Amino acid sequence: MAQTYDHQVVEAKWQAHWEQTGLFQVKEDATTPKYYCLEMFPYPSGRIHMGHVRVYAIGDVIARYKTMRGFHVLHPMGWDAFGLPAENAAIEKGVHPNAWTQENVAYMKKQLRRMGLSYDWDREVNTSQPDYYRWNQWIFLKMVERGLAYRKRSAVNWCPSCETVLANEQVLAQEGKDGGVCWRCESVVIQKELEQWFFRITQYAQELLDGCDRLTSWPARVLAMQRHWIGRSQGVGIDFPVAEPRDDLTAIRIFTTRPDTIYGATFMSLAPESPLVEQLIAGRACAETVRAFVERVSRLDKATRTAADREKEGVFTGAYAINPFTQERIPIWVANFVLYEYGTGAIMAVPAHDQRDFEFAKHYNIPIRLVIQNPDETLATDALDAAYEEQEQAGVLVNSGTFTGLSVPDAKQAMGEYVEAQGWGKRTINFRLRDWGISRQRYWGTPIPMLYCGHCGIVPVPENQLPVLLPEDVPFTGKGGSPLKESPSFAKATCPTCGGTARRESDTMDTFVDSSWYFLRYCSPQDTNQPVNPHAAQHWMAVDQYVGGIEHAVLHLLYARFFTKVLRDLGLTKVDEPFVHLLTQGMVTKETYWCEEHRWVLPSDTIKEDGQRLCGQCRKVIVTGRTEKMSKSKKNIASPEDLCDRYGADTARLFSLFAAPPEKDLEWSDTGVEGCSRFLNRVWRLVQEQLPVFREVNDQPISQESALLADLQRATHHTIQKVTHDLERDFQFNTAIAALMELVNQLYKSMKDYPMNALTADERGGWRSAIETLLILLAPFAPHLAEELWNTAGHVTSIARQPWPLFNPDLVVSTEWTIPIQVNGKLRSKISVPAGSTKDQIIASAQSDTKLIEWLQDKTPRKVIYVEQKLVNFVM
RNA sequence: GCGAGAGUGGCGGAAUGGCAGACGCGCAAGACUUAGGAUCUUGUGGGUAACCGUGGGGGUUCAAGUCCCCCCUCUCGCACCA
């Protein structure tokens, strides 16, 4: 019996060897094509989880495969190391965020190394270190120079009890409370206005939208989400004169995409935050009521405020506007559903043709006027139970003056032109996309390199004073404003313009800034003069394959696209889009059950009894069983460390690639892991048993006729074809691995069929070649095992550097064909014919097949379909 | 509501319009064993059978899981954007 495979020893041995020999270090190289393979870098939370194993296994197979295909592959790794959890650890455990982060990085790096990933660790980046974040500051200054970074007042979540700003994820929904609550003290969170820094991403809105059309190798749903987020819409801005002008307020501009409905506008609505509201109500009797309403609405956090199912509410301002088309006086209301940030913060309300306005009008008894008629089903105003919003199919204007009778699209066009001709407004394009607010009132992030001088105002930190370092002397209490304000060494600075005393900006940058350009930094990670060396970027960019979770479909990927365009305009890169192909891998889930008493329960902690599933502890019947994303609270964690201890990294990798296609969710299965482990052991034993057969044999041309040789060649070349095809086409790892399993099954069969002691020299050579092909094909998936066996077989150079085998179509040809025979499209028989038989020979042979006689009887088929080497179908 | 995707054995999942269920798990029988939760072999969609089978109903085709039309269910994302 061959010795069993000791994964612990073998994997450690090769990991050390690869590292010592610098196998995965990569340089720019003009002689072979480049390939840039990138997986989204992790947040150093402490431990890697199965989701990490999956995404990095996927990336690693791609990188290793492309290397074997002759590319020089950039495959880097780093740490998205700034962020809230480090600060929470500081507040709760008293550890400094930097110490906490560095410790986690060290630990997780060790874990990643155990997986045998082919990273060039010389290119490692850590966004929390000054050699990285100084370039965030540098880019920020360039953006200030170009007007792409600016300051404005904006609302933040504020906990009145902790007196601190909260990130959106620190605001929790709580039942019975109108609005979110603080994660620590459960006080109701309010909105507070602060001066904050913004990136003008809206300047690139159109380019970001157009770019989506060229990202043809991105998943459709990611593109759909990006397009929706950018949200371009075409409409008209129209001035409605104020009936009794107040001071300089003579008209209010609204934005609408439905100018065709303007004859049906029976009121106007303003956003509560609009400064026009105060102008309109000042001195009126209703002023206090309106102010109270505005106050109440604007205290709510954004998520609560904009929930679609929120009841529509409003209040009349007492003022009127004039509809320019009808000269009619319409009341001006304030409404909770009107967004100040979108359009002009004011809308014309057409209850008959907008569902929100409809509900509002019903509630407050405002007239509803039908101006679009449905030709298929005549609508009556009194009978409407919802707004008629149809725009594409039908709809003809009624009650609309000279525009009556036009179709909706024609009316949109004509009325838009009319507005412009009359000087009432103009056609405009609006985007949902907002400028990106990057100020965070946090410690563990990149300090924003700006100064506030009593004399000179807002002054950028001069470039030669970068980086602005994070100070160490900061207390972490979780209370109060920005932690950086508490550092005496940090807050005070000298104004570079006048030499006077200046205050340093105490906010830090959103961590999404860090991840918006790290892929460029990998091209020249040690450059001390600039964020990225343009020559290195020219060589490596764009990223050929990006792999990561779908949760980043909008923000990260959009910001990274934005930064790429900004850095392009700064002359640092020439690419417009950073990521050519995008693979969004599914989550790793595990089956769990929900017990009323014991919450989430693992399958192993349940009992099956009388066809019912009971909780193992309380024996209550469980009703909910489903697969959930792995999480601590659900207790359905499978630990990568345990997995590596018990089965090894190769098994962990193989399972996470085999159990589901990469883009789908993967359900964890302990027995599935066993299956993969079993497969690797089968490979191990196969090679061990064949070793003596081919060890002394050199590769030699195969001259001999031999059934075994033909079998071996057919099997290996068929596998080469299948595995290559599956990898080339969307990285279908699961079917590629299945093909390798089939090959191993085949080889076992051949081993059984042809006794080893009777093999000829040629046949030994055939065995050698078959096994080496298997190992090479397996190498990207299970690199340690493949390397070990490759080495055992007498090779000194790494299998990771072997060229990928080429498929030879001549070698898969078999001596006979099996042709399925159908009668009227149903399978009735299969026949074997010599390879190369003609259509007529095959049909003749089918007609004489005994199984078919009863189906064909003596009748002449009406028609015979023959598909080359595939099938025969008799139509009777 | 809008957008994207998915419905195939006991389970995860395979199938350029051409043999439905590859491969793996599970299960069953056998072999080897003091033993087996190791390993190997064989079988395994349903039905006694004719036959029936890819969410349901139509259609195109010699042939449909795959293409077209209608419907149902589920998952994910966005969600008052005027």
Side-chain angles (χ1 to χ4, degrees):
Chain A
M1 191 74 191
Q3 67 183 115
T4 51
Y5 172 51
D6 185 344
H7 60 82
Q8 299 269 23
V9 173
V10 169
E11 291 185 350
K13 169 175 136 194
W14 289 109
Q15 283 155 18
H17 186 261
W18 294 333
E19 207 162 306
Q20 279 154 21
T21 53
L23 188 65
F24 304 121
Q25 285 162 21
V26 65
K27 290 201 186 74
E28 290 157 39
D29 171 8
T31 60
T32 56
K34 72 93 185 178
Y35 192 89
Y36 188 173
C37 175
L38 182 66
E39 303 105 58
M40 292 180 185
F41 63 168
Y43 177 78
S45 54
R47 298 265 187 281
I48 66 167
H49 51 69
M50 287 312 303
H52 290 125
V53 171
R54 191 177 191 199
V55 63
Y56 300 133
I58 290 170
D60 199 53
V61 173
I62 296 172
R64 286 175 179 268
Y65 170 68
K66 290 291 175 181
T67 302
M68 294 170 86
R69 291 300 302 241
F71 294 86
H72 63 289
V73 176
L74 177 56
H75 189 217
M77 180 42 74
W79 310 95
D80 188 13
F82 272 140
L84 210 47
E87 224 166 309
N88 292 343
I91 295 166
E92 281 157 19
K93 296 176 205 153
V95 204
H96 192 275
N98 192 44
W100 185 85
T101 303
Q102 298 286 31
E103 208 171 285
N104 288 348
V105 164
Y107 193 85
M108 290 172 74
K109 188 167 172 181
K110 217 170 70 189
Q111 290 185 297
L112 290 182
R113 284 191 149 126
R114 271 193 82 183
M115 285 182 60
L117 303 167
S118 63
Y119 294 125
D120 180 353
W121 283 106
D122 287 355
R123 293 175 183 264
E124 180 177 1
V125 303
N126 180 326
T127 61
S128 70
Q129 300 306 302
D131 62 352
Y132 186 88
Y133 71 68
R134 67 174 298 170
W135 300 114
N136 281 346
Q137 295 172 339
W138 184 91
I139 295 167
F140 181 91
L141 292 176
K142 293 290 169 199
M143 290 174 75
V144 170
E145 267 173 39
R146 297 183 166 229
L148 288 170
Y150 66 96
R151 211 166 127 84
K152 76 169 181 195
R153 280 185 85 77
S154 172
V156 292
N157 302 309
W158 179 261
C159 172
S161 159
C162 301
E163 297 191 323
T164 190
V165 174
L166 298 176
N168 286 335
E169 55 270 34
Q170 294 174 322
V171 180
L172 313 173
Q174 196 175 72
E175 248 173 77
K177 295 260 174 78
D178 194 14
V181 299
C182 173
W183 66 312
R184 298 190 69 204
C185 71
E186 301 198 350
S187 314
V188 172
V189 173
I190 61 164
Q191 299 297 292
K192 190 176 169 177
E193 294 253 310
L194 292 178
E195 287 281 327
Q196 303 198 68
W197 287 95
F198 283 81
F199 283 158
R200 210 179 292 280
I201 189 172
T202 51
Q203 188 164 316
Y204 288 84
Q206 188 64 51
E207 199 193 337
L208 287 166
L209 184 65
D210 293 342
C212 291
D213 296 339
R214 292 198 302 276
L215 296 172
T216 50
S217 298
W218 280 35
R221 64 169 167 158
V222 174
L223 290 174
M225 284 160 78
Q226 294 233 336
R227 287 193 181 101
H228 183 256
W229 193 260
I230 297 167
R232 184 183 197 268
S233 81
Q234 216 156 348
V236 191
I238 305 174
D239 291 327
F240 278 53
V242 177
E244 292 88 25
R246 308 195 126 215
D247 310 322
D248 56 337
L249 181 60
T250 55
I252 296 174
R253 173 161 291 200
I254 58 94
F255 173 78
T256 182
T257 55
R258 297 293 308 272
D260 53 302
T261 64
I262 196 165
Y263 281 81
T266 52
F267 63 105
M268 178 186 276
S269 296
L270 302 181
E273 299 88 338
S274 173
L276 301 180
V277 174
E278 186 54 39
Q279 268 188 283
L280 290 172
I281 63 173
R284 288 187 201 273
C286 62
E288 278 318 306
T289 322
V290 177
R291 284 191 194 114
F293 174 77
V294 168
E295 165 74 6
R296 180 161 62 81
V297 173
S298 47
R299 283 176 72 95
L300 289 174
D301 68 286
K302 204 153 177 160
T304 313
R305 160 85 195 277
T306 58
D309 52 1
R310 195 163 180 86
E311 200 187 332
K312 288 165 190 46
E313 283 187 280
V315 60
F316 178 45
T317 60
Y320 289 84
I322 310 287
N323 182 338
F325 277 78
T326 62
Q327 296 307 312
E328 191 179 5
R329 276 165 65 95
I330 57 172
I332 304 174
W333 287 67
V334 180
N336 65 342
F337 65 89
V338 179
L339 304 172
Y340 181 55
E341 310 82 34
Y342 186 76
T344 61
I347 58 167
M348 66 172 197
V350 184
H353 305 291
D354 182 288
Q355 185 58 28
R356 295 154 300 177
D357 298 341
F358 182 84
E359 288 168 28
F360 195 89
K362 281 276 179 199
H363 189 227
Y364 293 104
N365 248 327
I366 301 172
I368 296 170
R369 188 182 305 146
L370 196 76
V371 292
I372 312 284
Q373 187 52 267
N374 181 353
D376 301 331
E377 179 200 351
T378 305
L379 303 168
T381 309
D382 301 340
L384 280 185
D385 51 10
Y388 176 61
E389 295 182 314
E390 180 61 57
Q391 296 182 55
E392 305 300 328
Q393 308 295 322
V396 174
L397 270 69
V398 293
N399 300 326
S400 296
T402 55
F403 300 96
T404 299
L406 290 181
S407 71
V408 167
D410 289 349
K412 277 188 185 174
Q413 175 76 19
M415 294 166 90
E417 282 168 11
Y418 189 73
V419 166
E420 287 186 350
Q422 295 294 315
W424 294 341
K426 66 187 283 219
R427 283 175 285 185
T428 48
I429 287 162
N430 257 307
F431 292 95
R432 303 172 58 129
L433 184 66
R434 302 289 141 71
D435 278 340
W436 170 17
I438 59 141
S439 293
R440 296 291 180 272
Q441 294 70 36
R442 304 260 140 235
Y443 169 79
W444 195 230
T446 305
I448 294 175
M450 298 299 285
L451 299 167
Y452 301 96
C453 168
H455 262 188
C456 316
I458 304 173
V459 185
V461 172
E463 229 177 86
N464 61 17
Q465 288 179 22
L466 298 185
V468 176
L469 292 171
L470 273 173
E472 295 278 323
D473 55 349
V474 175
F476 297 99
T477 59
K479 297 207 166 215
S482 296
L484 288 182
K485 279 190 178 144
E486 309 301 318
S487 162
S489 65
F490 183 84
K492 236 166 94 176
T494 307
C495 172
T497 315
C498 69
T501 308
R503 173 175 62 83
R504 240 179 235 292
E505 168 67 64
S506 58
D507 285 353
T508 52
M509 295 183 200
D510 181 3
T511 54
F512 274 114
V513 173
D514 311 337
S515 53
S516 291
W517 65 281
Y518 75 110
F519 45 91
L520 280 156
R521 185 67 184 167
Y522 284 136
C523 298
S524 54
Q526 273 110 35
D527 197 313
T528 51
N529 299 314
Q530 53 202 337
V532 54
N533 178 312
H535 297 290
Q538 173 72 5
H539 182 82
W540 292 114
M541 287 297 286
V543 175
D544 293 279
Q545 181 67 56
Y546 198 29
V547 188
I550 187 73
E551 66 274 19
H552 293 114
V554 179
L555 294 183
H556 163 60
L557 289 169
L558 190 68
Y559 293 152
R561 295 180 59 215
F562 164 57
F563 256 60
T564 301
K565 292 169 197 300
V566 171
L567 294 178
R568 173 201 63 194
D569 293 346
L570 291 172
L572 292 171
T573 176
K574 289 189 172 151
V575 300
D576 299 315
E577 290 289 344
F579 314 122
V580 180
H581 295 265
L582 175 67
L583 173 58
T584 49
Q585 94 281 356
M587 289 186 310
V588 180
T589 64
K590 191 167 180 176
E591 191 179 22
T592 20
Y593 293 89
W594 177 259
C595 164
E596 291 295 331
E597 195 129 338
H598 296 95
R599 303 175 56 81
W600 294 102
V601 185
L602 288 181
S604 55
D605 295 331
T606 63
I607 309 163
K608 277 186 198 159
E609 211 174 82
D610 303 330
Q612 284 184 318
R613 194 175 280 271
L614 310 179
C615 172
Q617 289 182 57
C618 60
R619 309 202 125 243
K620 279 186 186 151
V621 177
I622 287 176
V623 276
T624 323
R626 50 182 160 164
T627 53
E628 295 275 346
K629 183 177 179 171
M630 285 189 178
S631 73
K632 274 183 204 156
S633 64
K634 288 166 195 157
K635 294 194 222 160
N636 59 345
I637 296 274
S639 143
E641 282 186 311
D642 293 351
L643 198 59
C644 283
D645 289 345
R646 284 191 62 182
Y647 298 100
D650 284 341
T651 298
R653 294 166 58 117
L654 201 70
F655 175 75
S656 60
L657 296 164
F658 176 64
E663 65 282 358
K664 288 186 67 174
D665 284 354
L666 182 157
E667 192 186 332
W668 188 258
S669 147
D670 293 327
T671 50
V673 174
E674 300 252 5
C676 287
S677 170
R678 206 143 44 209
F679 166 69
L680 291 179
N681 276 305
R682 262 165 77 77
V683 174
W684 172 265
R685 283 196 311 274
L686 176 75
V687 178
Q688 296 304 319
E689 290 183 33
Q690 286 298 325
L691 265 184
V693 180
F694 74 76
R695 205 168 220 164
E696 295 90 34
V697 185
N698 291 316
D699 275 329
Q700 45 186 293
I702 290 154
S703 51
Q704 191 195 1
E705 291 279 324
S706 153
L708 169 62
L709 285 172
D711 283 354
L712 292 174
Q713 283 181 338
R714 202 160 39 240
T716 49
H717 278 263
H718 183 260
T719 309
I720 293 170
Q721 181 187 27
K722 174 75 176 146
V723 173
T724 309
H725 176 262
D726 288 348
L727 291 179
E728 285 299 322
R729 154 183 162 266
D730 296 336
F731 301 116
Q732 298 298 303
F733 306 114
N734 53 332
T735 49
I737 293 167
L740 291 171
M741 290 174 168
E742 276 183 271
L743 176 59
V744 170
N745 292 344
Q746 274 281 327
L747 294 180
Y748 265 94
K749 198 162 171 296
S750 293
M751 201 162 67
K752 205 184 77 181
D753 292 349
Y754 302 90
M756 272 189 284
N757 50 17
L759 296 182
T760 66
D762 267 2
E763 285 173 335
R764 291 180 198 191
W767 263 111
R768 179 191 183 102
S769 150
I771 286 197
E772 293 190 344
T773 303
L774 167 68
L775 293 178
I776 293 173
L777 296 177
L778 183 64
F781 303 95
H784 308 90
L785 177 77
E787 191 80 276
E788 173 70 12
L789 293 173
W790 185 250
N791 180 261
T792 314
H795 294 279
V796 285
T797 53
S798 171
I799 196 168
R801 286 291 163 83
Q802 289 307 304
W804 192 255
L806 291 174
F807 158 64
N808 181 348
D810 297 338
L811 297 180
V812 288
V813 180
S814 72
T815 52
E816 49 177 40
W817 293 345
T818 303
I819 308 282
I821 310 296
Q822 297 180 336
V823 177
N824 291 332
K826 295 201 172 180
L827 181 73
R828 295 303 179 195
S829 180
K830 282 183 195 182
I831 58 168
S832 276
V833 296
S837 300
T838 63
K839 176 182 173 182
D840 292 341
Q841 287 168 337
I842 290 170
I843 291 172
S845 151
Q847 277 168 325
S848 59
D849 183 66
T850 48
K851 272 191 236 151
L852 277 171
I853 293 194
E854 62 170 308
W855 294 105
L856 298 176
Q857 313 221 323
D858 296 329
K859 290 178 221 151
T860 316
R862 206 155 46 109
K863 203 170 166 190
V864 182
I865 310 282
Y866 172 67
V867 183
E868 182 79 18
Q869 291 185 44
K870 272 271 176 63
L871 104 173
V872 176
N873 186 12
F874 292 100
V875 185
M876 303 306 289

